[in-house]
Amino acid sequence: SKASYAIINLTRHSNEATLLISDNGIGCDMHNVKMGAGIINIMTKAESYDGSVVINSKPGEGYELKVTLPLYGRQKELVHQLSDYNDAE
């Protein structure tokens, strides 16, 4: 992607968690790109937890991957644990 930096952000809202990964790379035309196994696996896993995946990219404008998951049951416990871990650092 020829990025010089990437940003990873995990946020928790009352009923959902959002993972946002973005970079300042060369980007791509999303209409003419084939999804690789990694992206397909992320989408499949998110859907299995009633979540969603949004990918934004344009040539010359970097790349952004946003995964949103609802918080209930086991997912809520995991996000709380991750949040507590990040707060301790």
Side-chain angles (χ1 to χ4, degrees):
S1 81
K2 299 186 180 179
S4 62
Y5 71 84
I7 298 171
I8 301 171
N9 189 6
L10 176 64
T11 57
R12 176 182 65 197
H13 302 284
S14 61
N15 294 320
E16 68 181 22
T18 302
L19 173 66
L20 180 64
I21 302 171
S22 60
D23 69 29
N24 68 337
I26 60 172
C28 63
D29 180 356
M30 294 301 297
H31 299 289
N32 294 318
V33 68
K34 180 180 176 187
M35 297 290 177
I39 295 296
I40 291 170
N41 287 338
I42 290 170
M43 295 172 109
T44 301
K45 186 58 80 172
E47 289 173 8
S48 74
Y49 285 101
D50 299 323
S52 64
V53 176
V54 176
I55 301 171
N56 291 309
S57 185
K58 292 181 182 175
E61 295 186 14
Y63 188 87
E64 180 178 275
L65 172 72
K66 181 179 180 181
V67 180
T68 303
L69 298 172
L71 292 179
Y72 52 82
R74 180 77 177 116
Q75 297 96 308
K76 190 170 186 174
E77 292 172 24
L78 178 59
V79 170
H80 282 286
Q81 290 172 2
L82 289 170
S83 178
D84 291 344
Y85 175 78
N86 287 334
D87 290 342
E89 289 185 351

